């Protein structure tokens, strides 16, 4: 294309127009994927957040199957100054409008548990269900697990204090002089190992707590040495160092440090697994049930507790710690209203740890709370879709049970005939038997779909695609917001939402962006009439 010599195309309005065209072409590629195959089921993922300029943004992603691969694509976000369920619903429909989707093929909504999204009477999912009749609301499983794990910090005041110490350690080591001394001591005590940083914890992202606890356990020696060094100084630094040192040099703190490190090592697999964009119903079941089994084993067998106690005693001997707890041993006085009653609780306050049986009780309380929360938040299969997914998997004990897939067939209006189901089950059983003989391979639901051709088993194929497309998490939307925060920094605080939307989509969907042709963008740009502004 030949432009005049003075036409540099550097004005911000020209840049915004080119970015908008590129983003529209990217959305067209997603639309082509959705319409590439007939009857492509999809799910809607949405969430809201504030950008750096305090503007409320509603972001939308689409989950669908394309050529046997689960994909979650960002399709855009819009600004809103009204955070009611009606307003958010309108914004979501506005973002979805260019995709020209069939409402009957929407199988689910993936939202968080905020009341405006999940309310049973006037929540966003209730309003959108009028447009998408077959869609099922799914509370993000990653968010639910995060809430389960967060209850560990509320088991007792002593555990809340423990996590407060972890936070205070990070804040203390942030000072320039303290940080330099901390790194210097690390090099002296761990000369052949890389220096590490204490990580910042965040309540809404529990994996950060896992990293924080792990780092404190790994760097316990250098941390204690650094605190001891600054406890010999003066002023506020001395007070903070003395306080942290006093609280850390107890058996209770070391026990909780080892305990949560052990529990996080197990829960991290589920936490990371539930953040996958290709997570299916059966994968989600496996991760949660596996975590429940691990906690049950910890609770019912003494080996896990004995292992934690052995590691705690080893740390005490290594760092010459002899104190059990910083709590006083004074017996608490009962209120007058409880004078004639028998009380066996702590009256809402933490009891001092004086022997191993106190630590055993603390261990049991933590696990009991975790298991109770897991069973409460991950409730039994209300709609029957998890049972239907298991009944379609050859490795499941319920494989081939026609009654279990009936609720899903009725909900999605997929008429699976008895003959089609029988032949499908027989074929999968033969294949599963062959795999067991060769390598004992456990097939995923996606592999089951590959073994269910659409031209031979049309309805079973549709049922499997609908079950696979059900949303399990909203982590893709959270990642889109991370892209927004990387782009809209303090130096770009005045960026408008339209430009931010285009840049964020192009950055987030890098794979599709790389496939865009510059000539296509310029061709669209050149077709638009324009005149120079005087």
């Amino acid at each position: 294309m030949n432009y005049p010599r003075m036409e540099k195309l550097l004005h911000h309005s020209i840049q915004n127009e080119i970015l908008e065209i590129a983003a529209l072409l990217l959305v067209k590629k997603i639309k082509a994927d959705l319409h590439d195959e007939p009857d492509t089921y999809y799910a809607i993922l949405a969430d809201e957040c504030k950008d750096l300029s305090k503007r409320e943004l509603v972001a939308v992603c689409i989950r669908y199957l394309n050529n046997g691969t689960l994909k979650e694509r960002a399709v855009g976000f819009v600004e809103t100054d009204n955070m009611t369920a009606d307003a958010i619903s309108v914004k979501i429909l506005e973002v979805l409008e260019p995709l020209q989707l069939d409402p009957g093929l929407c199988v689910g909504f993936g939202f968080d548990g905020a009341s405006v999204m999940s309310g049973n009477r006037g929540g966003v999912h209730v309003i959108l269900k009028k447009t998408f009749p077959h869609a099922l609301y799914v509370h993000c499983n990653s968010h639910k697990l995060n809430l389960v794990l967060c209850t560990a910090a509320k088991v007792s005041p002593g555990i809340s204090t423990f996590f407060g110490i972890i936070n205070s350690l990070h804040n203390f080591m942030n000072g320039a002089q303290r940080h330099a001394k901390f790194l210097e001591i690390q090099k002296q005590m761990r000369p052949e190992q890389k220096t590490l940083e204490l990580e910042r914890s965040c309540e809404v992202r529990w994996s950060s707590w896992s990293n924080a606890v792990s780092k404190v356990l790994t760097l316990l020696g250098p941390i204690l040495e650094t605190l001891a060094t600054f406890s010999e100084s003066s002023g506020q630094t001395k007070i903070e160092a003395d306080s942290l040192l006093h609280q850390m040099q107890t058996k209770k703190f070391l026990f909780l440090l080892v305990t949560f490190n052990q529990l996080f090592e197990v829960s991290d697999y589920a936490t990371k697994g539930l953040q996958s964009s290709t997570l299916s119903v059966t994968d989600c079941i496996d991760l949660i049930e596996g975590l429940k089994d691990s906690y049950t084993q910890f609770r019912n067998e003494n080996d896990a507790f004995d292992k934690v106690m052995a590691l705690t005693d080893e740390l005490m001997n290594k760092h010459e710690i002899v104190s059990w707890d910083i709590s006083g041993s004074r017996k608490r006085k009962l209120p007058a209203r409880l004078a004639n009653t028998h009380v066996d609780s702590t009256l809402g306050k933490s009891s001092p740890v004086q022997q191993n049986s106190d630590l055993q009780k603390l261990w049991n309380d933590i696990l009991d709370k975790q298991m109770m929360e897991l069973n409460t938040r991950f409730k039994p299969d209300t709609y029957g879709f998890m049972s239907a997914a298991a009944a379609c998997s050859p490795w499941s004990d319920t494989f081939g049970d026609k009654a279990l897939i009936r609720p899903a067939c009725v909900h999605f209006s997929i008429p699976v005939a008895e003959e089609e189901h029988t032949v499908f089950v027989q074929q999968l059983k033969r294949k599963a038997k062959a795999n067991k003989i060769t390598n004992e391979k456990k097939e995923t639901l996606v592999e089951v779909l590959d073994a269910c051709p659409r031209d031979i088993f049309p309805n079973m194929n549709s049922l499997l695609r609908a079950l696979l497309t059900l949303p399990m998490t909203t982590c893709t939307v959270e990642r889109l917001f991370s892209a927004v925060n990387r782009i809209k920094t303090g130096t770009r605080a005045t960026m408008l939402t339209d430009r931010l939307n285009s840049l964020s989509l192009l950055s987030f969907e890098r794979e599709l962006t790389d496939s865009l042709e510059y000539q296509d963008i310029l061709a669209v740009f050149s077709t638009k009439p324009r005149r120079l502004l005087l």
Side-chain angles (χ1 to χ4, degrees), residues 23-60:
L24 289 175
L25 292 177
L26 185 145
V27 172
K28 284 185 177 180
K29 284 183 174 288
I30 298 175
K31 177 183 175 182
D33 268 0
L34 284 163
H35 295 277
D36 186 37
E37 299 176 0
D39 299 332
T40 298
Y41 292 105
Y42 62 91
I44 300 170
L45 313 177
D47 202 355
E48 70 281 345
C49 83
K50 287 184 179 179
D51 65 6
L52 189 67
S53 302
K54 308 303 180 184
R55 295 188 178 101
E56 291 284 358
L57 304 177
V58 177
V60 182

mmCIF file of all heavy atoms in Angstrom, residues 23-60:
data_model
loop_
_atom_site.group_PDB
_atom_site.id
_atom_site.type_symbol
_atom_site.label_atom_id
_atom_site.label_comp_id
_atom_site.label_asym_id
_atom_site.label_seq_id
_atom_site.Cartn_x
_atom_site.Cartn_y
_atom_site.Cartn_z
ATOM 1 N N ALA A 23 -7.981 -6.885 16.876
ATOM 2 C CA ALA A 23 -8.760 -7.613 17.878
ATOM 3 C C ALA A 23 -10.031 -8.202 17.274
ATOM 4 O O ALA A 23 -10.426 -9.332 17.599
ATOM 5 C CB ALA A 23 -9.109 -6.690 19.044
ATOM 6 N N LEU A 24 -10.667 -7.463 16.356
ATOM 7 C CA LEU A 24 -11.873 -7.977 15.699
ATOM 8 C C LEU A 24 -11.555 -9.183 14.822
ATOM 9 O O LEU A 24 -12.323 -10.151 14.775
ATOM 10 C CB LEU A 24 -12.524 -6.867 14.868
ATOM 11 C CG LEU A 24 -13.204 -5.733 15.652
ATOM 12 C CD1 LEU A 24 -13.689 -4.647 14.707
ATOM 13 C CD2 LEU A 24 -14.370 -6.290 16.464
ATOM 14 N N LEU A 25 -10.422 -9.131 14.113
ATOM 15 C CA LEU A 25 -10.014 -10.282 13.301
ATOM 16 C C LEU A 25 -9.710 -11.491 14.173
ATOM 17 O O LEU A 25 -9.976 -12.636 13.798
ATOM 18 C CB LEU A 25 -8.789 -9.918 12.456
ATOM 19 C CG LEU A 25 -9.020 -8.902 11.340
ATOM 20 C CD1 LEU A 25 -7.707 -8.576 10.635
ATOM 21 C CD2 LEU A 25 -10.040 -9.447 10.331
ATOM 22 N N LEU A 26 -9.158 -11.236 15.366
ATOM 23 C CA LEU A 26 -8.876 -12.331 16.299
ATOM 24 C C LEU A 26 -10.183 -12.972 16.775
ATOM 25 O O LEU A 26 -10.293 -14.205 16.836
ATOM 26 C CB LEU A 26 -8.078 -11.783 17.485
ATOM 27 C CG LEU A 26 -7.575 -12.792 18.525
ATOM 28 C CD1 LEU A 26 -6.215 -12.358 19.061
ATOM 29 C CD2 LEU A 26 -8.554 -12.908 19.686
ATOM 30 N N VAL A 27 -11.172 -12.145 17.108
ATOM 31 C CA VAL A 27 -12.467 -12.673 17.538
ATOM 32 C C VAL A 27 -13.125 -13.444 16.404
ATOM 33 O O VAL A 27 -13.808 -14.458 16.634
ATOM 34 C CB VAL A 27 -13.373 -11.524 18.028
ATOM 35 C CG1 VAL A 27 -14.791 -12.019 18.298
ATOM 36 C CG2 VAL A 27 -12.795 -10.887 19.282
ATOM 37 N N LYS A 28 -12.917 -12.993 15.149
ATOM 38 C CA LYS A 28 -13.459 -13.730 14.003
ATOM 39 C C LYS A 28 -12.856 -15.118 13.890
ATOM 40 O O LYS A 28 -13.519 -16.076 13.490
ATOM 41 C CB LYS A 28 -13.220 -12.936 12.714
ATOM 42 C CG LYS A 28 -14.157 -11.762 12.520
ATOM 43 C CD LYS A 28 -13.949 -11.099 11.163
ATOM 44 C CE LYS A 28 -14.936 -9.971 10.953
ATOM 45 N NZ LYS A 28 -14.759 -9.302 9.637
ATOM 46 N N LYS A 29 -11.589 -15.249 14.239
ATOM 47 C CA LYS A 29 -10.958 -16.573 14.233
ATOM 48 C C LYS A 29 -11.599 -17.486 15.281
ATOM 49 O O LYS A 29 -11.809 -18.680 15.038
ATOM 50 C CB LYS A 29 -9.454 -16.442 14.483
ATOM 51 C CG LYS A 29 -8.661 -15.940 13.279
ATOM 52 C CD LYS A 29 -7.178 -15.918 13.588
ATOM 53 C CE LYS A 29 -6.385 -15.548 12.339
ATOM 54 N NZ LYS A 29 -6.382 -16.644 11.346
ATOM 55 N N ILE A 30 -11.894 -16.927 16.458
ATOM 56 C CA ILE A 30 -12.566 -17.715 17.489
ATOM 57 C C ILE A 30 -13.970 -18.103 17.015
ATOM 58 O O ILE A 30 -14.419 -19.244 17.218
ATOM 59 C CB ILE A 30 -12.639 -16.914 18.800
ATOM 60 C CG1 ILE A 30 -11.229 -16.617 19.318
ATOM 61 C CG2 ILE A 30 -13.445 -17.666 19.856
ATOM 62 C CD1 ILE A 30 -11.187 -15.719 20.538
ATOM 63 N N LYS A 31 -14.646 -17.171 16.376
ATOM 64 C CA LYS A 31 -15.974 -17.456 15.831
ATOM 65 C C LYS A 31 -15.907 -18.570 14.783
ATOM 66 O O LYS A 31 -16.766 -19.475 14.767
ATOM 67 C CB LYS A 31 -16.553 -16.183 15.218
ATOM 68 C CG LYS A 31 -17.910 -16.377 14.556
ATOM 69 C CD LYS A 31 -18.390 -15.085 13.914
ATOM 70 C CE LYS A 31 -19.689 -15.304 13.153
ATOM 71 N NZ LYS A 31 -20.147 -14.059 12.484
ATOM 72 N N ALA A 32 -14.865 -18.541 13.951
ATOM 73 C CA ALA A 32 -14.709 -19.589 12.939
ATOM 74 C C ALA A 32 -14.484 -20.948 13.596
ATOM 75 O O ALA A 32 -14.998 -21.971 13.122
ATOM 76 C CB ALA A 32 -13.544 -19.247 12.010
ATOM 77 N N ASP A 33 -13.721 -20.974 14.697
ATOM 78 C CA ASP A 33 -13.517 -22.222 15.444
ATOM 79 C C ASP A 33 -14.839 -22.758 15.974
ATOM 80 O O ASP A 33 -15.113 -23.962 15.912
ATOM 81 C CB ASP A 33 -12.566 -21.981 16.622
ATOM 82 C CG ASP A 33 -11.120 -22.264 16.243
ATOM 83 O OD1 ASP A 33 -10.877 -22.644 15.093
ATOM 84 O OD2 ASP A 33 -10.238 -22.092 17.108
ATOM 85 N N LEU A 34 -15.662 -21.855 16.504
ATOM 86 C CA LEU A 34 -16.937 -22.264 17.103
ATOM 87 C C LEU A 34 -17.915 -22.784 16.053
ATOM 88 O O LEU A 34 -18.779 -23.618 16.355
ATOM 89 C CB LEU A 34 -17.562 -21.085 17.854
ATOM 90 C CG LEU A 34 -16.934 -20.752 19.215
ATOM 91 C CD1 LEU A 34 -17.329 -19.357 19.659
ATOM 92 C CD2 LEU A 34 -17.377 -21.777 20.244
ATOM 93 N N HIS A 35 -17.795 -22.290 14.826
ATOM 94 C CA HIS A 35 -18.705 -22.705 13.765
ATOM 95 C C HIS A 35 -18.038 -23.675 12.784
ATOM 96 O O HIS A 35 -18.628 -24.011 11.750
ATOM 97 C CB HIS A 35 -19.219 -21.470 13.005
ATOM 98 C CG HIS A 35 -20.067 -20.558 13.845
ATOM 99 N ND1 HIS A 35 -21.413 -20.759 14.066
ATOM 100 C CD2 HIS A 35 -19.743 -19.445 14.545
ATOM 101 C CE1 HIS A 35 -21.880 -19.802 14.842
ATOM 102 N NE2 HIS A 35 -20.890 -18.983 15.147
ATOM 103 N N ASP A 36 -16.833 -24.108 13.130
ATOM 104 C CA ASP A 36 -16.097 -25.015 12.240
ATOM 105 C C ASP A 36 -16.786 -26.368 12.135
ATOM 106 O O ASP A 36 -16.816 -26.984 11.078
ATOM 107 C CB ASP A 36 -14.666 -25.188 12.763
ATOM 108 C CG ASP A 36 -13.806 -25.992 11.795
ATOM 109 O OD1 ASP A 36 -13.979 -25.827 10.583
ATOM 110 O OD2 ASP A 36 -12.970 -26.786 12.269
ATOM 111 N N GLU A 37 -17.321 -26.852 13.244
ATOM 112 C CA GLU A 37 -18.033 -28.124 13.276
ATOM 113 C C GLU A 37 -19.489 -27.875 13.642
ATOM 114 O O GLU A 37 -19.788 -26.961 14.411
ATOM 115 C CB GLU A 37 -17.392 -29.072 14.294
ATOM 116 C CG GLU A 37 -15.940 -29.407 13.995
ATOM 117 C CD GLU A 37 -15.318 -30.262 15.081
ATOM 118 O OE1 GLU A 37 -16.037 -30.591 16.058
ATOM 119 O OE2 GLU A 37 -14.133 -30.588 14.968
ATOM 120 N N PRO A 38 -20.409 -28.686 13.134
ATOM 121 C CA PRO A 38 -21.824 -28.472 13.470
ATOM 122 C C PRO A 38 -22.097 -28.805 14.938
ATOM 123 O O PRO A 38 -21.479 -29.697 15.520
ATOM 124 C CB PRO A 38 -22.553 -29.458 12.539
ATOM 125 C CG PRO A 38 -21.536 -30.504 12.204
ATOM 126 C CD PRO A 38 -20.213 -29.796 12.192
ATOM 127 N N ASP A 39 -23.021 -28.079 15.531
ATOM 128 C CA ASP A 39 -23.461 -28.327 16.907
ATOM 129 C C ASP A 39 -22.300 -28.326 17.895
ATOM 130 O O ASP A 39 -22.132 -29.259 18.696
ATOM 131 C CB ASP A 39 -24.206 -29.660 16.999
ATOM 132 C CG ASP A 39 -25.456 -29.678 16.134
ATOM 133 O OD1 ASP A 39 -26.023 -28.596 15.908
ATOM 134 O OD2 ASP A 39 -25.848 -30.772 15.681
ATOM 135 N N THR A 40 -21.490 -27.297 17.848
ATOM 136 C CA THR A 40 -20.390 -27.167 18.801
ATOM 137 C C THR A 40 -20.924 -26.596 20.117
ATOM 138 O O THR A 40 -21.382 -25.457 20.172
ATOM 139 C CB THR A 40 -19.288 -26.237 18.251
ATOM 140 O OG1 THR A 40 -18.755 -26.802 17.059
ATOM 141 C CG2 THR A 40 -18.166 -26.081 19.273
ATOM 142 N N TYR A 41 -20.852 -27.402 21.163
ATOM 143 C CA TYR A 41 -21.285 -26.931 22.478
ATOM 144 C C TYR A 41 -20.253 -25.949 23.040
ATOM 145 O O TYR A 41 -19.066 -26.044 22.745
ATOM 146 C CB TYR A 41 -21.446 -28.114 23.438
ATOM 147 C CG TYR A 41 -22.597 -29.028 23.080
ATOM 148 C CD1 TYR A 41 -22.371 -30.263 22.491
ATOM 149 C CD2 TYR A 41 -23.914 -28.665 23.334
ATOM 150 C CE1 TYR A 41 -23.413 -31.119 22.162
ATOM 151 C CE2 TYR A 41 -24.969 -29.501 23.008
ATOM 152 C CZ TYR A 41 -24.708 -30.729 22.422
ATOM 153 O OH TYR A 41 -25.748 -31.550 22.090
ATOM 154 N N TYR A 42 -20.722 -25.054 23.881
ATOM 155 C CA TYR A 42 -19.822 -24.062 24.469
ATOM 156 C C TYR A 42 -20.299 -23.713 25.871
ATOM 157 O O TYR A 42 -21.453 -23.978 26.256
ATOM 158 C CB TYR A 42 -19.752 -22.806 23.601
ATOM 159 C CG TYR A 42 -21.066 -22.071 23.451
ATOM 160 C CD1 TYR A 42 -21.421 -21.046 24.338
ATOM 161 C CD2 TYR A 42 -21.962 -22.407 22.434
ATOM 162 C CE1 TYR A 42 -22.632 -20.378 24.209
ATOM 163 C CE2 TYR A 42 -23.179 -21.753 22.304
ATOM 164 C CZ TYR A 42 -23.509 -20.737 23.192
ATOM 165 O OH TYR A 42 -24.704 -20.091 23.072
ATOM 166 N N ALA A 43 -19.407 -23.141 26.654
ATOM 167 C CA ALA A 43 -19.731 -22.651 27.995
ATOM 168 C C ALA A 43 -19.228 -21.224 28.121
ATOM 169 O O ALA A 43 -18.241 -20.837 27.485
ATOM 170 C CB ALA A 43 -19.109 -23.544 29.064
ATOM 171 N N ILE A 44 -19.895 -20.450 28.945
ATOM 172 C CA ILE A 44 -19.566 -19.042 29.132
ATOM 173 C C ILE A 44 -18.871 -18.860 30.479
ATOM 174 O O ILE A 44 -19.412 -19.256 31.516
ATOM 175 C CB ILE A 44 -20.832 -18.164 29.080
ATOM 176 C CG1 ILE A 44 -21.537 -18.325 27.724
ATOM 177 C CG2 ILE A 44 -20.491 -16.696 29.327
ATOM 178 C CD1 ILE A 44 -22.919 -17.687 27.673
ATOM 179 N N LEU A 45 -17.680 -18.280 30.460
ATOM 180 C CA LEU A 45 -16.942 -17.966 31.680
ATOM 181 C C LEU A 45 -16.905 -16.450 31.820
ATOM 182 O O LEU A 45 -16.594 -15.749 30.851
ATOM 183 C CB LEU A 45 -15.518 -18.515 31.619
ATOM 184 C CG LEU A 45 -15.337 -19.961 31.145
ATOM 185 C CD1 LEU A 45 -13.862 -20.311 31.069
ATOM 186 C CD2 LEU A 45 -16.061 -20.920 32.056
ATOM 187 N N ALA A 46 -17.199 -15.953 32.989
ATOM 188 C CA ALA A 46 -17.224 -14.493 33.185
ATOM 189 C C ALA A 46 -16.855 -14.142 34.618
ATOM 190 O O ALA A 46 -17.052 -14.925 35.543
ATOM 191 C CB ALA A 46 -18.597 -13.924 32.839
ATOM 192 N N ASP A 47 -16.309 -12.965 34.767
ATOM 193 C CA ASP A 47 -15.949 -12.443 36.094
ATOM 194 C C ASP A 47 -15.802 -10.936 35.973
ATOM 195 O O ASP A 47 -15.765 -10.391 34.864
ATOM 196 C CB ASP A 47 -14.649 -13.072 36.591
ATOM 197 C CG ASP A 47 -14.515 -12.993 38.104
ATOM 198 O OD1 ASP A 47 -15.385 -12.362 38.744
ATOM 199 O OD2 ASP A 47 -13.534 -13.535 38.643
ATOM 200 N N GLU A 48 -15.720 -10.264 37.113
ATOM 201 C CA GLU A 48 -15.567 -8.811 37.094
ATOM 202 C C GLU A 48 -14.407 -8.414 37.988
ATOM 203 O O GLU A 48 -14.068 -9.108 38.944
ATOM 204 C CB GLU A 48 -16.849 -8.108 37.551
ATOM 205 C CG GLU A 48 -17.192 -8.258 39.019
ATOM 206 C CD GLU A 48 -17.824 -9.589 39.369
ATOM 207 O OE1 GLU A 48 -18.254 -10.298 38.435
ATOM 208 O OE2 GLU A 48 -17.869 -9.916 40.572
ATOM 209 N N CYS A 49 -13.780 -7.297 37.644
ATOM 210 C CA CYS A 49 -12.684 -6.775 38.460
ATOM 211 C C CYS A 49 -12.523 -5.282 38.177
ATOM 212 O O CYS A 49 -13.159 -4.730 37.271
ATOM 213 C CB CYS A 49 -11.377 -7.521 38.180
ATOM 214 S SG CYS A 49 -10.489 -6.930 36.737
ATOM 215 N N LYS A 50 -11.638 -4.635 38.952
ATOM 216 C CA LYS A 50 -11.324 -3.228 38.745
ATOM 217 C C LYS A 50 -9.944 -3.106 38.142
ATOM 218 O O LYS A 50 -9.027 -3.842 38.506
ATOM 219 C CB LYS A 50 -11.364 -2.461 40.073
ATOM 220 C CG LYS A 50 -12.748 -2.227 40.636
ATOM 221 C CD LYS A 50 -12.675 -1.386 41.903
ATOM 222 C CE LYS A 50 -14.066 -1.131 42.471
ATOM 223 N NZ LYS A 50 -14.012 -0.332 43.712
ATOM 224 N N ASP A 51 -9.800 -2.186 37.189
ATOM 225 C CA ASP A 51 -8.471 -1.933 36.651
ATOM 226 C C ASP A 51 -7.780 -0.866 37.496
ATOM 227 O O ASP A 51 -8.291 -0.434 38.539
ATOM 228 C CB ASP A 51 -8.534 -1.525 35.172
ATOM 229 C CG ASP A 51 -9.235 -0.191 34.953
ATOM 230 O OD1 ASP A 51 -9.578 0.480 35.952
ATOM 231 O OD2 ASP A 51 -9.429 0.191 33.788
ATOM 232 N N LEU A 52 -6.620 -0.425 37.040
ATOM 233 C CA LEU A 52 -5.829 0.546 37.808
ATOM 234 C C LEU A 52 -6.552 1.864 37.988
ATOM 235 O O LEU A 52 -6.343 2.581 38.973
ATOM 236 C CB LEU A 52 -4.481 0.763 37.108
ATOM 237 C CG LEU A 52 -3.441 1.575 37.865
ATOM 238 C CD1 LEU A 52 -2.983 0.811 39.113
ATOM 239 C CD2 LEU A 52 -2.247 1.882 36.976
ATOM 240 N N SER A 53 -7.438 2.199 37.061
ATOM 241 C CA SER A 53 -8.189 3.460 37.130
ATOM 242 C C SER A 53 -9.503 3.312 37.885
ATOM 243 O O SER A 53 -10.358 4.194 37.800
ATOM 244 C CB SER A 53 -8.475 3.978 35.712
ATOM 245 O OG SER A 53 -7.275 4.160 34.990
ATOM 246 N N LYS A 54 -9.679 2.181 38.580
ATOM 247 C CA LYS A 54 -10.881 1.897 39.370
ATOM 248 C C LYS A 54 -12.118 1.733 38.507
ATOM 249 O O LYS A 54 -13.248 1.877 38.987
ATOM 250 C CB LYS A 54 -11.134 3.006 40.424
ATOM 251 C CG LYS A 54 -9.940 3.333 41.305
ATOM 252 C CD LYS A 54 -9.428 2.113 42.047
ATOM 253 C CE LYS A 54 -8.236 2.456 42.922
ATOM 254 N NZ LYS A 54 -7.654 1.253 43.575
ATOM 255 N N ARG A 55 -11.922 1.415 37.232
ATOM 256 C CA ARG A 55 -13.065 1.134 36.374
ATOM 257 C C ARG A 55 -13.468 -0.329 36.536
ATOM 258 O O ARG A 55 -12.627 -1.220 36.539
ATOM 259 C CB ARG A 55 -12.728 1.404 34.902
ATOM 260 C CG ARG A 55 -12.435 2.862 34.577
ATOM 261 C CD ARG A 55 -12.317 3.043 33.069
ATOM 262 N NE ARG A 55 -12.086 4.440 32.707
ATOM 263 C CZ ARG A 55 -10.890 4.938 32.391
ATOM 264 N NH1 ARG A 55 -9.830 4.151 32.416
ATOM 265 N NH2 ARG A 55 -10.765 6.202 32.082
ATOM 266 N N GLU A 56 -14.762 -0.584 36.655
ATOM 267 C CA GLU A 56 -15.262 -1.948 36.772
ATOM 268 C C GLU A 56 -15.323 -2.586 35.387
ATOM 269 O O GLU A 56 -15.934 -2.040 34.471
ATOM 270 C CB GLU A 56 -16.662 -1.952 37.400
ATOM 271 C CG GLU A 56 -16.683 -1.552 38.864
ATOM 272 C CD GLU A 56 -16.195 -2.664 39.774
ATOM 273 O OE1 GLU A 56 -15.881 -3.760 39.265
ATOM 274 O OE2 GLU A 56 -16.126 -2.425 40.989
ATOM 275 N N LEU A 57 -14.673 -3.732 35.244
ATOM 276 C CA LEU A 57 -14.629 -4.446 33.972
ATOM 277 C C LEU A 57 -15.323 -5.792 34.105
ATOM 278 O O LEU A 57 -15.161 -6.486 35.112
ATOM 279 C CB LEU A 57 -13.188 -4.660 33.518
ATOM 280 C CG LEU A 57 -12.298 -3.420 33.381
ATOM 281 C CD1 LEU A 57 -10.893 -3.840 32.983
ATOM 282 C CD2 LEU A 57 -12.875 -2.450 32.364
ATOM 283 N N VAL A 58 -16.090 -6.166 33.103
ATOM 284 C CA VAL A 58 -16.705 -7.490 33.022
ATOM 285 C C VAL A 58 -16.050 -8.228 31.863
ATOM 286 O O VAL A 58 -16.168 -7.807 30.706
ATOM 287 C CB VAL A 58 -18.231 -7.398 32.808
ATOM 288 C CG1 VAL A 58 -18.830 -8.792 32.650
ATOM 289 C CG2 VAL A 58 -18.890 -6.667 33.973
ATOM 290 N N ALA A 59 -15.326 -9.301 32.177
ATOM 291 C CA ALA A 59 -14.589 -10.061 31.162
ATOM 292 C C ALA A 59 -15.330 -11.357 30.850
ATOM 293 O O ALA A 59 -15.953 -11.956 31.736
ATOM 294 C CB ALA A 59 -13.175 -10.365 31.646
ATOM 295 N N VAL A 60 -15.238 -11.789 29.597
ATOM 296 C CA VAL A 60 -15.939 -12.990 29.146
ATOM 297 C C VAL A 60 -14.982 -13.870 28.358
ATOM 298 O O VAL A 60 -14.225 -13.385 27.511
ATOM 299 C CB VAL A 60 -17.163 -12.632 28.260
ATOM 300 C CG1 VAL A 60 -17.904 -13.896 27.835
ATOM 301 C CG2 VAL A 60 -18.099 -11.690 28.999
#
